[in-house]
């Protein structure tokens, strides 16, 4: 694994074009959403491009920087622009079973399988390659039962703010996961109290208060120490700040 050089703060295809000139003709930008949530899946978006994909749709940015209605409007434009695209997910139960990092890989491999195109290189946001399994870990064989091999990976800090393909992948993942969490929260039933339509499963005050009153639901990550769970001491671990996606 190598770490790509950083460039402009505005998403563009500058990094992707340089990598294509190095021989990686088919590139996949990949980003995750929901890593730090207390409930719901972790979602991984992937956008595959080649030399025929021109400039990304105007306004594509890291999903955190866009209003919800803007993200929604961008989805069909991104889908028309990309050579291939998909969102893969790992459920709360799978996160409990294998841990968050392994679940990220599971979701990422599912996204790549759904694309139907094997990229020459994957660009991951951040400085850690969570897509490539450690050599001594065998529990993730089910992540690619059809024999899909993990492509080469390069990491880039703030790639979602610099690479159009990664920014576009973050938008797809964010929209898909938000729709799912809003649907759960708007069902008018047992999940409405957690406020997921607003907080999307993150550690917002109303979510924490509901956990203390009602305890965790089937959609919560029960391996994490949650308010209202047995033996809870009031702390919430494994959680990003409320403002994170």
């Amino acid at each position: 694994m190598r770490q790509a050089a950083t460039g402009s703060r505005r998403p563009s295809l500058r990094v992707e074009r340089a990598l294509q000139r190095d021989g990686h003709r088919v590139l996949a930008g990949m980003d995750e959403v929901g890593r730090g949530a207390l409930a719901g899946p972790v979602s991984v978006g992937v956008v595959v491009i080649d030399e025929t994909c021109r400039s990304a749709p105007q306004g594509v940015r890291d999903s955190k920087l866009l209003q919800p209605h803007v993200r929604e409007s961008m989805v069909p434009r991104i889908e028309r622009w990309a050579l291939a695209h998909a969102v893969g997910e790992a459920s709360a139960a799978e996160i409990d079973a294998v841990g968050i990092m392994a679940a990220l890989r599971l979701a990422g491999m599912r996204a790549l399988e759904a694309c139907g195109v094997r990229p020459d290189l994957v660009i991951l946001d951040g400085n850690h390659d969570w897509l490539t399994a450690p050599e001594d870990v065998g529990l993730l064989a089910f992540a690619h039962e059809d024999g899909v091999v993990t492509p080469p990976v390069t990491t880039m800090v703030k790639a979602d703010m610099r690479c159009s393909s990664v920014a576009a992948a973050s938008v797809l993942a964010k929209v898909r996961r938000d729709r799912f969490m809003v649907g759960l929260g708007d069902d008018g039933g047992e999940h409405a109290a957690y406020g997921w339509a607003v907080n999307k499963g993150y550690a917002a005050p109303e979510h924490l208060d509901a956990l203390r009153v009602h305890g965790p639901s089937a959609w919560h990550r029960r391996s994490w120490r949650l308010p209202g769970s047995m033996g809870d001491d009031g702390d919430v671990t494994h959680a990003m700040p409320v403002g994170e996606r």
Side-chain angles (χ1 to χ4, degrees), residues 1-6 14-27 120-130 132 151-157 159 163:
M1 178 185 73
R2 67 188 182 91
Q3 186 166 332
T6 59
R14 186 176 304 169
V15 172
E16 288 93 330
R17 295 308 188 214
L19 291 169
Q20 287 170 333
R21 288 193 293 271
D22 287 343
H24 306 292
R25 188 180 68 83
V26 180
L27 292 171
D120 299 317
L121 186 71
V122 174
I123 306 172
L124 278 186
D125 180 44
N127 58 10
H128 175 63
D129 175 8
W130 43 259
T132 305
V153 170
T154 186
T155 61
M156 180 177 176
V157 175
C163 300

Side-chain angles (χ1 to χ4, degrees), residues 159-183:
D160 53 0
M161 298 181 68
R162 294 179 168 90
C163 300
S164 292
S165 63
V166 180
S170 78
V171 171
L172 298 186
K174 176 70 171 167
V175 170
R176 171 76 68 85
R177 188 180 186 279
D178 281 3
R179 287 174 181 171
F180 180 76
M181 296 306 296
V182 168

Side-chain angles (χ1 to χ4, degrees), residues 132-146:
T132 305
E135 294 181 359
D136 58 347
V137 175
L139 57 81
L140 288 179
F142 63 90
H144 46 100
E145 295 173 353
D146 295 332

Side-chain angles (χ1 to χ4, degrees), residues 109-126:
M109 293 304 294
R110 285 172 172 165
L112 287 172
E113 288 185 54
C115 276
V117 176
R118 186 180 189 278
D120 299 317
L121 186 71
V122 174
I123 306 172
L124 278 186
D125 180 44

